[in-house]
Amino acid sequence: DLSVADNVMLGRERASGGFLSRVANRALAADALRQLGHPEIDPDAPVSALNPAGRQVVEIARALVGSVRVLVLDEPTSA
């Protein structure tokens, strides 16, 4: 079960010297969550512990970390 930070950074992990930088990854995930107005979501929490709305915020944060130029949401309120 992935943590929120692991999920947000999946495929975009920061590394140094061949090792993952968990501190940097956590900080980037926390910053993306703050930008979305959800600083209460703990980057260390397992995604499975979040409600559906929290999981959607995590997916949007994942897009933010990827520096997308356009984000199209289709039925963002559906579960």
Side-chain angles (χ1 to χ4, degrees):
D1 195 21
L2 292 176
S3 71
V4 169
D6 289 340
N7 192 292
V8 169
M9 297 303 297
L10 192 63
R12 297 174 184 88
E13 296 91 347
R14 301 295 189 252
S16 177
F19 294 97
L20 289 180
S21 177
R22 294 210 180 269
V23 173
N25 289 333
R26 186 184 188 288
L28 287 169
D31 185 52
L33 293 167
R34 269 193 301 280
Q35 287 180 40
L36 291 171
H38 289 278
E40 76 282 357
I41 297 178
D42 180 6
D44 295 321
V47 173
S48 62
L50 300 176
N51 61 27
R55 291 177 188 185
Q56 287 178 337
V57 169
V58 168
E59 291 306 313
I60 295 168
R62 187 173 178 187
L64 281 179
V65 168
S67 300
V68 297
R69 292 177 50 179
V70 176
L71 178 63
V72 177
L73 301 174
D74 180 26
E75 299 182 49
T77 60
S78 67

